[in-house]
Amino acid sequence: MKEYKTVYKLSMENPHRHYLKVEVSFNKLPADKEFIDVKIPVWTPGSYMVREYAQHVHEFTANDFSDQNLNFEKINKNTWRIFKGLEESVQVSYLVYSFDLTVRTNFLNSSYAFVTPSATFVYLEEFKNEKALLKVELPEGWEKVSTGLKRIEGRTNTFQIENYDILVDSPLLCGNYQTFDFEVDGKNHEIAVQGIFKNDKNTFVSDIKKIVETEFELFGELPYKDYTFICIFSPGKYGGLEHLNSMAVVFDPFELVDEKRYKDWLALIAHEFFHLWNVKRIRPIELGPFDYDQEIYTKLLWVAEGITSYYDDFLVLKTGFYTTEEYLEVVSKNIKRLQTNYGRNICTLEESSFDAWIKFYRQNENSSNTICSYYNKGALLIMCLDLAIRNYSKNEKSFDDVLLRFNKFYKEEKRGFTKEEFKEMVKEVVGSDFPEILVNYLETTEEIDYEKYLGYAGVEFVKDEALPRNLGLDFSEKEGTLTVNRIYQGTPSWDSDINVNDEIIAIDGIRVNKTLLEKFLTKSESGQKFKFLIARDLEIREVELEATSLREENYKLVKKEDVSELAEQIFQKWIG
Ligand SMILES: [Zn+2]
């Protein structure tokens, strides 16, 4: 064991108490250095928020190799300074409270553990690029560990770690759960399924396999030795996180049996799998290697998530799970999402990327008025770029070719690209005269010209303005109480004195319930005036509100019959 400079032991005695136990030995430390600084990350790559993982670390101790206590002190929120004297080996031990089930935190109960390495394992800056070892000790009766880490043959649940970045990029699932295997390109893929699971297993596995095959075909390679899908099914949960040769996804098992939601699930799988290339390899220069101590800033998160979000639905179509009509409906919903989001008028895509840490990842009741999603707008922009490339190249090229160029760049340079390099590569693939379509859409809030780009594929963009817009508020109902959750800018509610958290009691003297309130909100005529009776901080008050002529814009995408030959060809090759 001593050949490794860092050796981790992870155990989980009494899992019902939700504490992971971590013991680490740091070996071959320089004898002349009086102290070492042991750190735990404050965030995890792929999820751009400082999560302060150190808050869950308890009962930290440090010993030398003859088990004598060593003095230590915390020098900041996530660093322990251990005074080791002449010692060449130091052992630390601590507990990590683990009871937050998401793809970027830890969870442990008497059935299973999901381990997010950056939230769990401490490191020494000076050993970050060195090989390490991880041994997992399971509670009695638990049998399985699933992870992308390299298993050491002949040793129980022991893994070799190339460097700390790879450890951080390899979450673990431990317990007794179902696993399924399949092969693509001679490589093994394991699907680990924790939780209630009512779907047909064969279909489930073969559908995931089909997505892997579609992406394999697109890139012409699978850049790993083996791949692990960690799937946790838990009611009300949704989320996914990409990793080097694995993904972690949480999803609601009861939604998984719904035909429509099942396609969303497949899009989630396609999304996280696509990140294998776009983000894990092809990436903006700032996205790795990382500083785990603080935020890393990039204006190009929209590249990471926009391209991936465009391709997730697109690949579900290409794999044959969406019909052309269903796909156009998905796109029209995405357009509606952006166009009804007031934040698009005040926040550019680059600002949204840069401030993800404090805005997109820390949303509040006013967020739709102030930010635009770099997933949503980024995906629509890449769709427009894809269509512009298809049109410019007379249907010879597409964004797929740009992706392959990006991948070549990664392989040659082994680093991320700058915004200039991104633009240069697009021009190199498409042609030096290819017009710059991105700049205003990235740096300003100029509205995307959907008509133009969709027109290249003969798709008509129909704004159906028949629906009256609601009065501009969202509410929820709990035990008969109707509470305002959001007020949308540019609507009658925004102009009135109704606040988030107000309780709506009556309108025009009529006691309202959920159904009645919905009716008022959506069926009001322009100029109609209302008196809302509300309760705010226990005080009853009346608030006036006047419906305006605002219309809910509905976006329908329809393939036109009579289009140019080129547009027809583009349509067929794109989504036909
Ligand atoms: Zn993503």
Side-chain angles (χ1 to χ4, degrees), residues 63 79 132-133 150 193 198 203 236 267 289 291 299 315 335 399 401 426 463 478 491 519 521 523 568-569:
N63 289 320
T79 311
L133 193 80
K150 191 177 157 204
V193 178
K198 295 189 176 298
T203 315
D291 179 349
K299 290 182 181 170
L315 290 165
I335 293 176
F399 197 80
D401 300 290
V426 173
K463 265 193 210 175
K478 202 178 169 192
T491 67
K519 222 168 160 180
L521 291 178
K523 300 265 183 335
E568 183 64 41
Q569 285 165 359

mmCIF file of all heavy atoms in Angstrom, residues 63 79 132-133 150 193 198 203 236 267 289 291 299 315 335 399 401 426 463 478 491 519 521 523 568-569:
data_model
loop_
_atom_site.group_PDB
_atom_site.id
_atom_site.type_symbol
_atom_site.label_atom_id
_atom_site.label_comp_id
_atom_site.label_asym_id
_atom_site.label_seq_id
_atom_site.Cartn_x
_atom_site.Cartn_y
_atom_site.Cartn_z
ATOM 1 N N ASN A 63 -3.105 11.626 12.700
ATOM 2 C CA ASN A 63 -2.159 10.804 13.462
ATOM 3 C C ASN A 63 -0.889 10.585 12.674
ATOM 4 O O ASN A 63 -0.905 10.673 11.443
ATOM 5 C CB ASN A 63 -2.746 9.404 13.727
ATOM 6 C CG ASN A 63 -3.873 9.462 14.724
ATOM 7 O OD1 ASN A 63 -3.813 10.190 15.716
ATOM 8 N ND2 ASN A 63 -4.928 8.725 14.444
ATOM 9 N N THR A 79 -9.622 23.870 4.609
ATOM 10 C CA THR A 79 -8.222 23.425 4.720
ATOM 11 C C THR A 79 -7.840 23.148 6.169
ATOM 12 O O THR A 79 -8.061 23.986 7.043
ATOM 13 C CB THR A 79 -7.263 24.499 4.158
ATOM 14 O OG1 THR A 79 -7.737 24.904 2.880
ATOM 15 C CG2 THR A 79 -5.844 23.965 4.032
ATOM 16 N N ALA A 132 -3.078 7.192 -6.801
ATOM 17 C CA ALA A 132 -3.570 6.937 -5.446
ATOM 18 C C ALA A 132 -4.376 5.640 -5.460
ATOM 19 O O ALA A 132 -4.638 5.062 -6.519
ATOM 20 C CB ALA A 132 -4.438 8.095 -4.981
ATOM 21 N N LEU A 133 -4.739 5.199 -4.262
ATOM 22 C CA LEU A 133 -5.489 3.950 -4.136
ATOM 23 C C LEU A 133 -6.741 4.207 -3.303
ATOM 24 O O LEU A 133 -6.699 4.988 -2.356
ATOM 25 C CB LEU A 133 -4.595 2.909 -3.433
ATOM 26 C CG LEU A 133 -5.088 1.472 -3.500
ATOM 27 C CD1 LEU A 133 -4.725 0.873 -4.852
ATOM 28 C CD2 LEU A 133 -4.454 0.641 -2.379
ATOM 29 N N LYS A 150 -10.748 2.446 -12.032
ATOM 30 C CA LYS A 150 -10.136 1.191 -12.465
ATOM 31 C C LYS A 150 -9.994 0.233 -11.284
ATOM 32 O O LYS A 150 -9.313 0.525 -10.306
ATOM 33 C CB LYS A 150 -8.758 1.506 -13.047
ATOM 34 C CG LYS A 150 -8.133 0.364 -13.753
ATOM 35 C CD LYS A 150 -6.797 0.818 -14.356
ATOM 36 C CE LYS A 150 -5.914 -0.388 -14.553
ATOM 37 N NZ LYS A 150 -4.504 -0.033 -14.576
ATOM 38 N N VAL A 193 -28.718 0.098 -11.402
ATOM 39 C CA VAL A 193 -30.047 0.676 -11.164
ATOM 40 C C VAL A 193 -30.445 0.531 -9.699
ATOM 41 O O VAL A 193 -30.714 -0.576 -9.219
ATOM 42 C CB VAL A 193 -31.112 0.003 -12.061
ATOM 43 C CG1 VAL A 193 -32.483 0.586 -11.771
ATOM 44 C CG2 VAL A 193 -30.767 0.192 -13.520
ATOM 45 N N LYS A 198 -39.856 -0.122 -12.494
ATOM 46 C CA LYS A 198 -40.961 -0.929 -12.993
ATOM 47 C C LYS A 198 -40.960 -1.123 -14.510
ATOM 48 O O LYS A 198 -41.833 -1.763 -15.060
ATOM 49 C CB LYS A 198 -42.291 -0.277 -12.568
ATOM 50 C CG LYS A 198 -42.496 -0.278 -11.058
ATOM 51 C CD LYS A 198 -43.909 0.163 -10.722
ATOM 52 C CE LYS A 198 -44.191 0.090 -9.237
ATOM 53 N NZ LYS A 198 -44.094 -1.264 -8.686
ATOM 54 N N THR A 203 -36.130 -3.630 -22.725
ATOM 55 C CA THR A 203 -36.317 -2.411 -23.513
ATOM 56 C C THR A 203 -35.422 -1.300 -22.969
ATOM 57 O O THR A 203 -34.766 -0.579 -23.716
ATOM 58 C CB THR A 203 -37.791 -1.940 -23.426
ATOM 59 O OG1 THR A 203 -38.631 -3.071 -23.604
ATOM 60 C CG2 THR A 203 -38.111 -0.894 -24.462
ATOM 61 N N GLY A 236 -39.884 12.068 -7.248
ATOM 62 C CA GLY A 236 -39.714 13.520 -7.245
ATOM 63 C C GLY A 236 -38.329 13.998 -7.651
ATOM 64 O O GLY A 236 -38.071 15.193 -7.665
ATOM 65 N N ALA A 267 -33.528 11.454 -23.383
ATOM 66 C CA ALA A 267 -32.803 12.685 -23.737
ATOM 67 C C ALA A 267 -31.779 13.027 -22.647
ATOM 68 O O ALA A 267 -30.686 13.521 -22.933
ATOM 69 C CB ALA A 267 -33.780 13.841 -23.939
ATOM 70 N N PRO A 289 -7.922 21.706 -16.442
ATOM 71 C CA PRO A 289 -8.014 21.247 -15.052
ATOM 72 C C PRO A 289 -8.524 22.351 -14.129
ATOM 73 O O PRO A 289 -8.439 23.534 -14.455
ATOM 74 C CB PRO A 289 -6.568 20.878 -14.696
ATOM 75 C CG PRO A 289 -5.761 21.024 -15.931
ATOM 76 C CD PRO A 289 -6.553 21.744 -16.933
ATOM 77 N N ASP A 291 -9.499 24.408 -10.396
ATOM 78 C CA ASP A 291 -9.158 24.824 -9.046
ATOM 79 C C ASP A 291 -10.386 24.476 -8.203
ATOM 80 O O ASP A 291 -11.465 24.994 -8.450
ATOM 81 C CB ASP A 291 -8.903 26.343 -9.053
ATOM 82 C CG ASP A 291 -8.555 26.875 -7.666
ATOM 83 O OD1 ASP A 291 -8.718 26.122 -6.687
ATOM 84 O OD2 ASP A 291 -8.128 28.030 -7.580
ATOM 85 N N LYS A 299 -17.077 32.577 -20.084
ATOM 86 C CA LYS A 299 -18.242 33.122 -20.791
ATOM 87 C C LYS A 299 -18.812 32.089 -21.750
ATOM 88 O O LYS A 299 -19.737 32.368 -22.501
ATOM 89 C CB LYS A 299 -17.824 34.375 -21.574
ATOM 90 C CG LYS A 299 -17.489 35.553 -20.689
ATOM 91 C CD LYS A 299 -17.125 36.752 -21.536
ATOM 92 C CE LYS A 299 -16.773 37.943 -20.635
ATOM 93 N NZ LYS A 299 -16.188 39.034 -21.419
ATOM 94 N N LEU A 315 -30.430 13.754 -30.890
ATOM 95 C CA LEU A 315 -29.977 12.364 -30.928
ATOM 96 C C LEU A 315 -31.100 11.392 -30.579
ATOM 97 O O LEU A 315 -31.122 10.264 -31.061
ATOM 98 C CB LEU A 315 -28.784 12.171 -29.982
ATOM 99 C CG LEU A 315 -27.495 12.859 -30.468
ATOM 100 C CD1 LEU A 315 -26.477 12.955 -29.347
ATOM 101 C CD2 LEU A 315 -26.903 12.124 -31.663
ATOM 102 N N ILE A 335 -38.444 27.103 -27.894
ATOM 103 C CA ILE A 335 -38.540 28.502 -28.344
ATOM 104 C C ILE A 335 -39.501 29.262 -27.428
ATOM 105 O O ILE A 335 -39.208 30.370 -26.974
ATOM 106 C CB ILE A 335 -39.019 28.577 -29.820
ATOM 107 C CG1 ILE A 335 -37.952 27.990 -30.745
ATOM 108 C CG2 ILE A 335 -39.332 30.019 -30.213
ATOM 109 C CD1 ILE A 335 -38.342 27.917 -32.210
ATOM 110 N N PHE A 399 -23.322 20.936 -38.369
ATOM 111 C CA PHE A 399 -22.572 21.170 -37.139
ATOM 112 C C PHE A 399 -21.822 19.905 -36.696
ATOM 113 O O PHE A 399 -20.841 19.990 -35.968
ATOM 114 C CB PHE A 399 -23.487 21.699 -36.026
ATOM 115 C CG PHE A 399 -22.725 22.324 -34.895
ATOM 116 C CD1 PHE A 399 -22.234 23.623 -35.003
ATOM 117 C CD2 PHE A 399 -22.443 21.614 -33.731
ATOM 118 C CE1 PHE A 399 -21.479 24.187 -33.981
ATOM 119 C CE2 PHE A 399 -21.700 22.181 -32.699
ATOM 120 C CZ PHE A 399 -21.218 23.474 -32.830
ATOM 121 N N ASP A 401 -19.860 18.225 -38.454
ATOM 122 C CA ASP A 401 -18.479 18.370 -38.938
ATOM 123 C C ASP A 401 -17.667 19.295 -38.036
ATOM 124 O O ASP A 401 -16.475 19.086 -37.822
ATOM 125 C CB ASP A 401 -18.478 18.918 -40.372
ATOM 126 C CG ASP A 401 -19.209 17.977 -41.313
ATOM 127 O OD1 ASP A 401 -18.680 16.890 -41.574
ATOM 128 O OD2 ASP A 401 -20.325 18.307 -41.751
ATOM 129 N N VAL A 426 -14.994 26.928 -36.742
ATOM 130 C CA VAL A 426 -16.249 26.926 -37.501
ATOM 131 C C VAL A 426 -15.966 27.378 -38.937
ATOM 132 O O VAL A 426 -16.388 26.741 -39.899
ATOM 133 C CB VAL A 426 -17.310 27.835 -36.839
ATOM 134 C CG1 VAL A 426 -18.553 27.961 -37.732
ATOM 135 C CG2 VAL A 426 -17.715 27.307 -35.460
ATOM 136 N N LYS A 463 -46.499 31.928 -35.408
ATOM 137 C CA LYS A 463 -46.840 32.466 -34.098
ATOM 138 C C LYS A 463 -48.345 32.433 -33.988
ATOM 139 O O LYS A 463 -49.045 33.145 -34.693
ATOM 140 C CB LYS A 463 -46.365 33.911 -33.986
ATOM 141 C CG LYS A 463 -45.017 34.071 -33.348
ATOM 142 C CD LYS A 463 -44.791 35.524 -32.989
ATOM 143 C CE LYS A 463 -43.308 35.841 -33.050
ATOM 144 N NZ LYS A 463 -43.054 37.266 -32.830
ATOM 145 N N LYS A 478 -51.886 24.719 -1.233
ATOM 146 C CA LYS A 478 -51.596 23.774 -0.157
ATOM 147 C C LYS A 478 -52.712 23.869 0.865
ATOM 148 O O LYS A 478 -52.977 24.956 1.392
ATOM 149 C CB LYS A 478 -50.237 24.112 0.465
ATOM 150 C CG LYS A 478 -49.635 22.929 1.176
ATOM 151 C CD LYS A 478 -48.267 23.283 1.725
ATOM 152 C CE LYS A 478 -47.800 22.181 2.661
ATOM 153 N NZ LYS A 478 -46.641 22.582 3.426
ATOM 154 N N THR A 491 -46.196 41.827 -17.292
ATOM 155 C CA THR A 491 -47.575 41.323 -17.233
ATOM 156 C C THR A 491 -48.379 42.206 -16.276
ATOM 157 O O THR A 491 -47.803 42.995 -15.511
ATOM 158 C CB THR A 491 -47.609 39.879 -16.696
ATOM 159 O OG1 THR A 491 -47.207 39.904 -15.314
ATOM 160 C CG2 THR A 491 -46.697 38.954 -17.477
ATOM 161 N N LYS A 519 -58.961 30.017 -13.884
ATOM 162 C CA LYS A 519 -59.866 30.573 -14.878
ATOM 163 C C LYS A 519 -59.682 32.101 -14.992
ATOM 164 O O LYS A 519 -59.576 32.650 -16.078
ATOM 165 C CB LYS A 519 -61.308 30.265 -14.457
ATOM 166 C CG LYS A 519 -62.188 29.828 -15.597
ATOM 167 C CD LYS A 519 -63.464 29.280 -15.021
ATOM 168 C CE LYS A 519 -64.552 29.271 -16.061
ATOM 169 N NZ LYS A 519 -65.784 28.733 -15.507
ATOM 170 N N LEU A 521 -57.075 33.759 -14.211
ATOM 171 C CA LEU A 521 -55.738 34.083 -14.702
ATOM 172 C C LEU A 521 -55.605 33.933 -16.213
ATOM 173 O O LEU A 521 -54.846 34.641 -16.850
ATOM 174 C CB LEU A 521 -54.692 33.197 -14.011
ATOM 175 C CG LEU A 521 -54.453 33.457 -12.532
ATOM 176 C CD1 LEU A 521 -53.429 32.477 -11.973
ATOM 177 C CD2 LEU A 521 -53.978 34.875 -12.269
ATOM 178 N N LYS A 523 -58.421 33.458 -18.555
ATOM 179 C CA LYS A 523 -59.535 33.776 -19.444
ATOM 180 C C LYS A 523 -59.948 35.252 -19.398
ATOM 181 O O LYS A 523 -61.031 35.617 -19.856
ATOM 182 C CB LYS A 523 -60.756 32.895 -19.080
ATOM 183 C CG LYS A 523 -60.506 31.406 -19.190
ATOM 184 C CD LYS A 523 -60.962 30.922 -20.540
ATOM 185 C CE LYS A 523 -60.856 29.463 -20.825
ATOM 186 N NZ LYS A 523 -59.974 28.583 -20.207
ATOM 187 N N GLU A 568 -35.739 21.570 -49.117
ATOM 188 C CA GLU A 568 -36.314 20.223 -48.977
ATOM 189 C C GLU A 568 -35.208 19.224 -48.613
ATOM 190 O O GLU A 568 -35.362 18.396 -47.714
ATOM 191 C CB GLU A 568 -37.002 19.824 -50.298
ATOM 192 C CG GLU A 568 -37.717 18.472 -50.262
ATOM 193 C CD GLU A 568 -38.885 18.433 -49.273
ATOM 194 O OE1 GLU A 568 -39.633 19.431 -49.212
ATOM 195 O OE2 GLU A 568 -39.025 17.422 -48.559
ATOM 196 N N GLN A 569 -34.066 19.355 -49.307
ATOM 197 C CA GLN A 569 -32.946 18.448 -49.032
ATOM 198 C C GLN A 569 -32.395 18.656 -47.615
ATOM 199 O O GLN A 569 -32.078 17.697 -46.922
ATOM 200 C CB GLN A 569 -31.824 18.677 -50.050
ATOM 201 C CG GLN A 569 -32.149 18.095 -51.413
ATOM 202 C CD GLN A 569 -31.222 18.631 -52.499
ATOM 203 O OE1 GLN A 569 -30.332 19.452 -52.236
ATOM 204 N NE2 GLN A 569 -31.426 18.177 -53.725
#
